[in-house]
Amino acid sequence: MKIIADQNIPGLDGRLSDEVELLRLPGRQIDAASVRDATALLVRSVTPVDAKLVAGSTLRFVGSATAGIDHIDREALAAADIAFAHVPGSNANAVVEYVIAAIASVENYLDRLQQGGRVGVVGYGHVGRTLIARLSALGIGTLTYDPWLDPADVPGDAALADVLACDVVTLHPELTDRQPFPSRHLLDEGALGAFTQDQLLINASRGEVIDNHALCLRLQQPQAPRVVLDVWEGEPVVDPALLRRVDIGTPHVAGYSLDGKLRGMWMLIDALAKCCPQAVQRTGNSQNSGRRLL
């Protein structure tokens, strides 16, 4: 049995059975030839998994060690009868720490928030929930926008315009084109035009949630907001003009922590064991073992 894995997924050695031939590859080099005779494929976000990649392969399982899945064609996997799993929430703590560090690093925004300012959180998934809990513990108020959820289940539920008017706005929606609430270019020219010089905008979700061209133009206009970007349209290529104008620019590393990677690895191991039990070395509860590694 062969398993192909992105070389940046840690901790796999010793977790797989003796029956497994584990081949580690750079994520961007994984192609159809690589997976043709494999049973399972474990990727991160840099590997697009589509019908072309899996066509004619012996794959039974694809796992992505990421919370986001916009690089995965789930319909193609279902059509090929290939099981799929990902790891929502595995990197939530790391992303939250990035956001709070960004707030503390730009001007005096943390002081302003602790003196009565508010954070607008777009998206109440794993990251949004963890962030709001952390901000609440710091005594910082929040407003939240997530139109896919029942408002009764969203603390501080508010209209998008009200959330985008907060002192700090941080974006954590799933990237989706689904109607009636697509998030691609959720912040377009019009939405960006309403931001003021007193606001801080943070995006550590997906680059396409903001129209990057419109943002670059907005940052050249009067009373532009302060901006922190960890994600970019067209990754891994970054618009140098936009990079020069943001306060902090990082290469999609907010959730790229060792603890997040290890949590994601254990979640994939558990999912793989359900699909292909013979692939996994079982020596006790994997989640408990994973915590001892952290």
Side-chain angles (χ1 to χ4, degrees), residues 252-277:
H252 204 149
V253 296
Y256 207 69
S257 65
L258 179 58
D259 65 324
K261 287 182 180 181
L262 289 172
R263 288 189 183 97
M265 179 274 294
W266 280 117
M267 293 169 73
L268 285 189
I269 287 291
D270 285 344
L272 177 61
K274 294 175 183 177
C275 177
C276 308

Side-chain angles (χ1 to χ4, degrees), residues 68-88:
I69 54 175
D70 45 286
H71 57 298
I72 305 291
D73 186 339
R74 286 176 288 175
E75 292 183 359
L77 296 184
D81 197 25
I82 299 171
F84 172 68
H86 66 127
V87 293

Side-chain angles (χ1 to χ4, degrees), residues 51-95:
K52 182 179 179 181
L53 181 73
V54 304
S57 74
T58 57
L59 286 171
R60 294 170 51 197
F61 176 85
V62 169
S64 181
T66 58
I69 54 175
D70 45 286
H71 57 298
I72 305 291
D73 186 339
R74 286 176 288 175
E75 292 183 359
L77 296 184
D81 197 25
I82 299 171
F84 172 68
H86 66 127
V87 293
S90 61
N91 66 348
N93 184 66
V95 175

Side-chain angles (χ1 to χ4, degrees), residues 207-274:
E208 293 84 356
V209 173
I210 300 177
D211 182 335
N212 279 206
H213 177 68
L215 177 60
C216 190
L217 293 177
R218 178 68 185 93
L219 294 182
Q220 300 174 58
Q221 297 169 354
Q223 300 188 355
R226 311 296 289 271
V227 175
V228 173
L229 293 183
D230 181 55
V231 290
W232 314 77
E233 279 196 285
E235 293 180 16
V237 177
V238 173
D239 179 357
L242 179 57
L243 178 60
R244 286 193 297 269
R245 288 174 171 83
V246 300
D247 287 82
I248 299 174
T250 51
H252 204 149
V253 296
Y256 207 69
S257 65
L258 179 58
D259 65 324
K261 287 182 180 181
L262 289 172
R263 288 189 183 97
M265 179 274 294
W266 280 117
M267 293 169 73
L268 285 189
I269 287 291
D270 285 344
L272 177 61
K274 294 175 183 177

Side-chain angles (χ1 to χ4, degrees), residues 25 96 103 294:
L25 295 172
V96 166
I103 293 171
L294 300 182

